[in-house]
Amino acid sequence: MHIPSMKELVSEEEWQLRCDLAAAYRLVAMYGWSDLVFTHISLRLPDSVTGGAAQFLINPYGLMFDEITASSLVKVDMECNKVLPSTFPVNPAGFTIHSAIHAVRHDAQCVMHTHTRAGVAVSALQSGLLPISQQSTFIVNNVAYHDYEGLALRGDEIPRLQADLGSKKYLILRNHGLLTTGKSAADAFLNMYILESACQIQVTAQACGPLVMIPSSITDNMAEVMKVATAGQGPGIAWPALIRKLDRTDASYRT
């Protein structure tokens, strides 16, 4: 499939952001979190690129995540109208959740949403995510929940979604899946890695027997522990290594 290059049509800053977002799509595919073509990762372009207009990059609807490239990403406005010409379609319905979050959380440059089996399984549990693993301790005090209201197509659901997320980084959409936010594609991806890992561990453990809970005296302090463990770099500490891994496997996402 030939995709014309956008590199000469956008700024250097936007091109780098396109490469980062395309890498996040490829990594989601690599780790087995994609749901054919039915989820999205959106990235809000900074004012330095847009001149203050609300503009976003999102995947072309119908491409598998391992086909996404920097040039195939579609630039849209808040209503999911194309800002730059593209031969690829977009999915306005799929952008509903993302646009709702971007509208009120300007710190959330990137929003990632998945439908993994483990994520949907935990979202369907009344208990939600439990503090039973080291991975979960980084999340349990920063995760929000939003009740299922059917396919996210109705505008009246948006205020409830926004209120439920609040200022949290992680959102479990009941009976639906997982969502993470981040100040970059790297942050959103690594946040999802931790959340997805915690869900996989929980589903496995619950199938085996009684669970051992981690006390709140430990979970309440994990934000500071994370800063120390990542040398102050947060989730971004692993991103360069992930990019090297991706480049060794297939660097076509950069085209």
Side-chain angles (χ1 to χ4, degrees):
M1 180 175 55
H2 175 68
I3 300 173
S5 176
M6 296 283 290
K7 187 172 185 179
E8 303 305 320
L9 301 178
V10 300
S11 67
E12 184 176 340
E13 183 179 8
E14 179 176 333
W15 183 251
Q16 182 58 56
L17 291 170
R18 283 174 172 269
C19 289
D20 290 343
L21 183 57
Y25 275 104
R26 295 293 186 95
L27 287 166
V28 165
M30 179 182 289
Y31 281 91
W33 306 341
S34 59
D35 182 17
L36 297 180
V37 300
F38 297 112
T39 58
H40 306 276
I41 314 169
S42 60
L43 187 142
R44 184 186 185 110
L45 292 169
D47 291 348
S48 56
V49 169
T50 69
Q55 296 178 357
F56 310 87
L57 297 175
I58 196 164
N59 52 311
Y61 196 40
L63 264 63
M64 300 289 281
F65 282 16
D66 62 3
E67 297 179 294
I68 301 294
T69 66
S71 294
S72 70
L73 292 166
V74 185
K75 188 191 294 191
V76 299
D77 62 17
M78 187 64 82
E79 285 71 46
C80 209
N81 300 310
K82 295 178 185 178
V83 174
L84 287 179
S86 172
T87 58
F88 294 106
V90 290
N91 181 16
F95 191 55
T96 300
I97 292 174
H98 296 254
S99 60
I101 295 172
H102 285 300
V104 295
R105 288 284 302 276
H106 295 289
D107 62 309
Q109 184 186 26
C110 189
V111 177
M112 179 177 292
H113 174 41
T114 62
H115 295 160
T116 63
R117 290 188 180 184
V120 176
V122 170
S123 79
L125 294 174
Q126 187 173 16
S127 65
L129 186 69
L130 296 170
I132 62 167
S133 65
Q134 179 167 277
Q135 287 80 353
S136 69
T137 62
F138 295 111
I139 299 167
V140 289
N141 290 337
N142 203 2
V143 64
Y145 295 84
H146 177 67
D147 287 340
Y148 188 64
E149 299 187 29
L151 290 177
L153 302 176
R154 303 191 325 273
D156 66 313
E157 184 181 358
I158 289 175
R160 293 186 289 276
L161 176 69
Q162 294 168 333
D164 287 340
L165 175 62
S167 61
K168 301 293 180 66
K169 292 182 180 179
Y170 306 88
L171 179 65
I172 293 180
L173 297 155
R174 292 286 191 184
N175 313 100
H176 183 173
L178 307 178
L179 184 147
T180 59
T181 67
K183 64 180 185 294
S184 65
D187 280 349
F189 178 85
L190 270 298
N191 287 339
M192 184 61 76
Y193 183 86
I194 297 171
L195 179 55
E196 174 64 23
S197 295
C199 289
Q200 290 183 16
I201 292 166
Q202 180 170 322
V203 170
T204 302
Q206 287 180 310
C208 296
L211 304 176
V212 177
M213 300 294 167
I214 297 173
S216 60
S217 58
I218 293 177
T219 61
D220 288 347
N221 191 43
M222 290 309 290
E224 292 303 315
V225 172
M226 173 67 92
K227 291 179 182 178
V228 175
T230 62
Q233 297 180 53
I237 193 169
W239 186 251
L242 285 165
I243 293 298
R244 292 193 300 271
K245 177 182 178 68
L246 192 55
D247 285 341
R248 289 193 301 270
T249 305
D250 181 0
S252 64
Y253 71 94
R254 295 182 179 274
T255 61

